[in-house]
Amino acid sequence: MIRLAIVYFSATGTTARLAEAIQAGAAEVANATLCRIVGDDIVAGRFQNECTMNTVDAADAVAFGSPTLMGGPAAQFKAFADATSERWSEQRWARKVAAGFTTGSCANGDQGHTLTYFTVLAAQHGMLWCSLNIPGGNDQRGRNRLGSQIGLATQIVDGELPHSDLATAHYLGRGLADVTRPFVTSALHP
């Protein structure tokens, strides 16, 4: 079975809700594990949670998530990313499939920059990127309402996360698992 890790930081619970929706979508065809970055994981400014790192090591695919704060990922997520340098030097995550998700308080709160950060992190590790293949504004279910193709970008409306954004997260989770399947199958049957 496909193994997917969802590594994320959530300040207010919104990003956690997206991670849970991604997990639900992926769980239709994969084993998806939530790896929430919490304050206790950061010691003297460095991310230190080997359990999370081992979960990503064992995964076939990874979804990276963080709220967009000041035009980029939260410092807590960045601490995680910085701590992956040993794995980068050994290319332990090469050929895994990756995707990204973020939320912000504005429709264009620079969420695209956070998603671009995730793509660069994935590229550094030699990972393959899974985009969001829903044309923005054209989906009959209202998914991908902000029109981000690089990954899931959401926005809080009247203090709430719209159902359409959660539906997009579910779609991304399932899509990430589906895109990963041929890589896992070919590895099992060379």
Side-chain angles (χ1 to χ4, degrees):
M1 179 171 261
I2 298 162
R3 296 165 299 183
L4 192 138
I6 303 162
V7 182
Y8 68 98
F9 171 74
S10 184
T12 65
T14 303
T15 307
R17 289 184 62 208
L18 292 171
E20 290 162 2
I22 289 169
Q23 180 187 37
E28 294 175 359
V29 293
N31 179 1
T33 303
L34 294 173
C35 300
R36 185 172 184 163
I37 298 167
V38 297
D40 290 346
D41 292 336
I42 315 295
V43 179
R46 298 287 295 169
F47 178 85
Q48 296 182 10
N49 184 328
E50 200 59 26
C51 182
T52 293
M53 294 297 199
N54 290 336
T55 299
V56 177
D57 288 347
D60 302 303
V62 183
F64 297 123
S66 172
T68 296
L69 300 170
M70 301 306 296
Q76 293 87 340
F77 184 89
K78 182 72 168 73
F80 159 78
D82 290 349
T84 68
S85 61
E86 179 183 313
R87 280 150 170 89
W88 165 79
S89 66
E90 298 172 2
Q91 288 294 284
R92 285 193 214 175
W93 297 352
R95 302 294 182 241
K96 293 181 187 293
V97 181
F101 61 102
T102 188
T103 190
S105 58
C106 298
N108 183 13
D110 294 320
Q111 290 95 320
H113 182 69
T114 300
L115 293 171
T116 300
Y117 177 86
F118 295 151
T119 65
V120 172
L121 175 64
Q124 288 278 320
H125 282 283
M127 301 170 92
L128 308 168
W129 192 255
C130 174
S131 63
L132 185 61
N133 63 337
I134 303 172
N138 292 321
D139 184 72
Q140 292 181 4
R141 297 183 198 166
R143 298 175 301 186
N144 195 19
R145 67 185 179 86
L146 296 185
S148 175
Q149 297 306 129
I150 197 169
L152 173 59
T154 68
Q155 171 219 5
I156 302 300
V157 177
D158 297 326
E160 297 294 325
L161 189 59
H163 177 72
S164 60
D165 290 352
L166 292 169
T168 308
H170 187 277
Y171 181 87
L172 178 62
R174 174 63 191 255
L176 179 57
D178 285 343
V179 165
T180 304
R181 183 180 298 122
F183 296 101
V184 173
T185 303
S186 67
L188 294 174
H189 307 287

